[in-house]
Structures are given as C-alpha cells and as structure tokens.
C-alpha cells in the first residue's frame, strides 16, 4: 500500500459545527486501517483500528467508517470543539508491520 | 507510565557529524519503529523492528542505521549527517503479537534534529 490520500489537507470550522474528512487507499491487499489524532507539539495518539468492510467505530463525538471494497474511510466529528483542533492521520496496513501514513487533515476549530 | 521515551529532544549537528537517537519503551512491546516527519510529507517509516533481534528497512532507510539493543531499546544512528536529514524523528512501538498490522502504535514525543 503506497498511495494514501487524505482530504482535505486543512479545514477550519466553527465551534459546534460537524465535519468529516476522507482517507483513500488502494483496496487491494488491505488488512487494517488506523486513525490517529496528532495535536501540535505532542505525539500521535491512536483513535481507531478498523479491519472489516462496513466497520464503524465511535469514541465520544468522533466516529469512523470503513469501506474496503472501494478503498476509503471517513472520520466524523460531531459538534466540533476547540480541543478537537489537531491533525488527523490515517494509516492503512497490508498485513505486515509496515504502516504507511497519509499526510493528514489539519483541523482548526474556531471558538 | 513513561510509555515511549526518546532522547535527546533537540539536537543541532554539523554536516558530517554522527549521532545516535535513543528510544526506549516500557510496555513490553515486541515491535518498534522509527519515522521522520517533514512538512507536507507526513510520517515516513525509516526502519522497523518486528521483534527483538530483527530489523528491516522502511520507505526511507538511506543514510541511517538501527540497532535493536534489547526488547526495550531501539536506536537510530546517523553516521554522516546531511542537511537533508533535518527533520523531526519519532519512535513508536506496538505489541506486535497476534495478527500483523492491526495494532495501534504508541509514539514518543519526538526528537527535533537540525543539521547545518
């Protein structure tokens, strides 16, 4: 898995808005999809790991879905708060120890 | 609960100098990784160690060497630093047991390295 694309690259939303971003990856040789949250001056923190087509995961106001047949995952944030401001990374894996990270979506939530 | 610890946090080198970045984890994880993070490039895998005693190249291994000293420690060495290696370096670990590739990674706080 070499081509991982995340869109948009950056996003500004108002506090209270809901938002979503996309991670696209080749559907062949897929094994798992990871989402990470990366706050400025900190280290990436794991949010979700999904493996099955149709998987949905939720953590508070953040949720994610997975479509392995068409090669994409959506991350949703409901009612964005300033503390949600971060870069969100996805990383598909192909059943090995190599994780290929996307370049991320940088979210800024304006109070 | 230290997790993954990296040293040093910051370093400035001159071209041609060598240095070793240290990484240690206290979670009894089998797998460890070194990444570099450059603007607009995301995290790129330099080397990884699936288990103690093994190391493998990632996407961008040229100019680097690694040593898995024991289960806890995984070091990254720059033998002759070049300005192109100016970056932020992250070490990570994961349990590395059971199915491959479906375990989240735990990251250190990073080492900011500048090469003049």
């Amino acid at each position: 898995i070499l081509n991982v694309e995340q869109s948009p690259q950056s996003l500004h939303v108002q506090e209270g808005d809901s938002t979503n971003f996309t991670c696209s990856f080749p559907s062949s040789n897929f094994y798992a999809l990871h989402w990470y949250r990366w706050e400025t001056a900190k280290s990436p923190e794991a949010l979700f790991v999904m493996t099955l087509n149709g998987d949905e995961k939720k953590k508070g106001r953040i949720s994610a879905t997975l479509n392995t047949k068409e090669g994409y995952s959506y991350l949703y944030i409901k009612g964005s708060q300033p503390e949600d401001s971060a870069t969100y990374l996805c990383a598909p894996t192909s059943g090995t120890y190599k994780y290929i990270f996307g370049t991320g979506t940088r979210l800024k939530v304006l109070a | 609960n230290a997790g993954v610890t990296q040293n040093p946090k910051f370093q400035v080198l001159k071209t041609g100098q060598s240095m070793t970045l240290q990484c240690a984890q206290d979670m009894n994880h089998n797998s460890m990784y070194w990444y570099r993070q450059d603007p607009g490039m995301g995290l790129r895998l330099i080397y990884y160690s699936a288990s103690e005693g093994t190391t493998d190249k990632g996407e961008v291994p040229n100019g680097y060497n690694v040593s898995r000293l024991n289960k806890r420690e995984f070091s990254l060495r720059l033998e002759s630093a070049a300005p192109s290696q100016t970056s932020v370096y992250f070490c990570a670990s994961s349990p590395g047991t059971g199915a491959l590739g479906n375990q989240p990674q735990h990251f250190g706080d990073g080492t900011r390295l500048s090469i003049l």
Side-chain angles (χ1 to χ4, degrees):
Chain A
I1 294 181
L2 294 178
N3 296 326
V4 182
E5 294 184 5
Q6 290 190 247
S7 61
Q9 285 189 333
S10 66
L11 189 59
H12 288 69
V13 301
Q14 293 292 326
E15 182 176 357
D17 287 350
S18 294
T19 187
N20 65 85
F21 353 113
T22 305
C23 172
S24 300
F25 51 88
S27 56
S28 61
N29 209 25
F30 170 87
Y31 186 77
L33 191 285
H34 298 250
W35 279 101
Y36 288 83
R37 181 171 178 272
W38 193 0
E39 291 182 71
T40 302
K42 295 188 178 180
S43 53
E45 177 187 350
L47 283 173
F48 306 115
V49 181
M50 295 182 287
T51 56
L52 299 176
N53 185 46
D55 253 355
E56 287 190 36
K57 299 274 185 173
K58 189 174 181 181
K59 188 175 184 177
R61 293 178 291 97
I62 303 176
S63 60
T65 61
L66 178 66
N67 183 321
T68 61
K69 295 185 187 304
E70 297 182 42
Y72 64 85
S73 175
Y74 292 140
L75 188 80
Y76 300 91
I77 302 179
K78 184 177 179 181
S80 303
Q81 299 297 309
E83 58 264 32
D84 296 327
S85 297
T87 296
Y88 291 84
L89 300 173
C90 71
T93 68
S94 57
T96 71
Y97 288 102
K98 290 186 180 182
Y99 294 66
I100 306 298
F101 284 84
T103 54
T105 293
R106 186 178 297 116
L107 174 67
K108 176 73 173 175
V109 182
L110 305 171
Chain B
N1 285 344
V4 179
T5 303
Q6 291 184 234
N7 283 297
K9 299 284 188 283
F10 304 93
Q11 185 71 48
V12 179
L13 294 177
K14 293 181 180 178
T15 297
Q17 287 186 314
S18 62
M19 87 160 289
T20 299
L21 308 186
Q22 308 286 351
C23 175
Q25 52 90 11
D26 62 1
M27 295 172 284
N28 201 35
H29 285 172
N30 288 308
S31 303
M32 297 185 74
Y33 309 79
W34 275 106
Y35 294 91
R36 59 179 288 174
Q37 189 253 331
D38 302 294
M41 301 291 286
L43 286 166
R44 291 185 293 170
L45 183 65
I46 305 170
Y47 271 93
Y48 68 100
S49 171
S51 60
E52 186 179 356
T54 69
T55 61
D56 284 287
K57 295 178 181 179
E59 297 173 79
V60 289
N62 291 345
Y64 305 96
N65 285 303
V66 290
S67 295
R68 184 74 182 267
L69 304 169
N70 48 55
K71 191 171 185 178
R72 288 187 64 246
E73 299 172 285
F74 188 38
S75 63
L76 178 73
R77 183 160 178 84
L78 286 70
E79 290 291 351
S80 179
S84 61
Q85 293 177 305
T86 294
S87 188
V88 182
Y89 291 84
F90 285 93
C91 177
S93 70
S94 68
T97 58
L100 303 178
N102 69 346
Q103 296 156 348
Q105 298 191 353
H106 300 257
F107 286 82
D109 291 335
T111 294
R112 188 172 298 273
L113 182 61
S114 293
I115 299 162
L116 307 176

